Amino acid sequence: MRKAQSPVYSKVCKTEVVCPNDTNPMGILQGGRLVQWMDIAAAVCAQTHAAKICVTASMDTVSFTQPAHVGDIITMEAKITRAFTTSMEIKVTAWSRSVFKTRKSLISESYFTFVAIDQDGKVAAVNGVKPSSATEKSEYEAAAKRRNHKLNPHK
Ligand SMILES: CC(C)(COP(=O)(O)OP(=O)(O)OC[C@H]1O[C@@H](n2cnc3c(N)ncnc32)[C@H](O)[C@@H]1OP(=O)(O)O)[C@@H](O)C(=O)NCCC(=O)NCCS
């Protein structure tokens, strides 16, 4: 029988520092590099929840709401919202903070869908999610609507 795990069990916090090689000629963090970091945070979260290798199936729209600059500290939180049969939705939120400031700014967030894979490369069932807090419960409910929209975009 599938067990249900708390989203806290697999929550991932990842930190990076923006280096010159991560930026455009203006010293602003490239969007693709941020998405790469977010994808890794989400993959670790999915694989921890599933205890299996997981692949990225899709990601929702990614908006970049604030620029981050060379030397800024980027923190990312990846948290599972819901598991279906073999797929899981992971919410990733990213913030930027200057070394000289205490306040961090939200720079991006998106929902990633990962699918668990077995040793033969076939899709594999994963454990369920047991939300506890009001936010976790609301994300859990909304995840079903987002999934329906992704799988049936014209309905
Ligand atoms: C993701 C992948 C494993 C799905 O394989 P598939 O043969 O379509 O599998 P299925 O049709 O049985 O679907 C498996 C699950 O994936 C979900 N899924 C498939 N495509 C999806 C998509 N585009 N978005 C969201 N979920 C998706 C299905 O809803 C299903 O979920 P469920 O079991 O929880 O109901 C396959 O498409 C794949 O290997 N893609 C490449 C992954 C990869 O390399 N990622 C890195 C990109 S660089």
Side-chain angles (χ1 to χ4, degrees), residues 104-120:
K104 59 184 186 178
S105 310
L106 177 71
I107 56 170
S108 189
E109 66 182 5
S110 190
Y111 294 90
F112 291 68
T113 300
F114 278 78
V115 176
I117 301 290
D118 68 14
Q119 304 248 334
D120 301 320

Side-chain angles (χ1 to χ4, degrees), residues 3 20-21 25 27 29 49 55 64 66 68 100 102 109-110 122:
K3 55 180 179 171
N21 199 34
L29 174 62
H49 178 87
V55 293
F64 304 104
Q66 296 276 339
F100 308 107
T102 50
E109 66 182 5
S110 190
K122 296 197 166 61

Side-chain angles (χ1 to χ4, degrees), residues 17-19 69-73 97-99:
V17 175
V18 181
C19 292
H69 301 91
V70 167
D72 285 353
I73 297 160
R97 178 173 70 80
S98 159
V99 178

Side-chain angles (χ1 to χ4, degrees), residues 19-104:
C19 292
N21 199 34
D22 303 318
T23 69
N24 68 15
M26 298 289 288
I28 295 172
L29 174 62
Q30 291 175 352
R33 186 59 53 94
L34 180 60
V35 171
Q36 180 191 18
W37 293 339
M38 291 167 75
D39 185 43
I40 291 169
V44 175
C45 175
Q47 293 182 152
T48 302
H49 178 87
K52 292 184 171 76
I53 298 295
C54 299
V55 293
T56 315
S58 69
M59 71 184 73
D60 291 5
T61 304
V62 188
S63 301
F64 304 104
T65 48
Q66 296 276 339
H69 301 91
V70 167
D72 285 353
I73 297 160
I74 307 298
T75 49
M76 284 154 276
E77 181 189 280
K79 200 172 176 189
I80 189 166
T81 60
R82 188 158 180 163
F84 298 94
T85 304
T86 64
S87 67
M88 296 151 279
E89 186 194 67
I90 315 290
K91 181 178 184 180
V92 186
T93 311
W95 297 269
S96 172
R97 178 173 70 80
S98 159
V99 178
F100 308 107
K101 294 183 182 156
T102 50
R103 211 168 67 83
K104 59 184 186 178

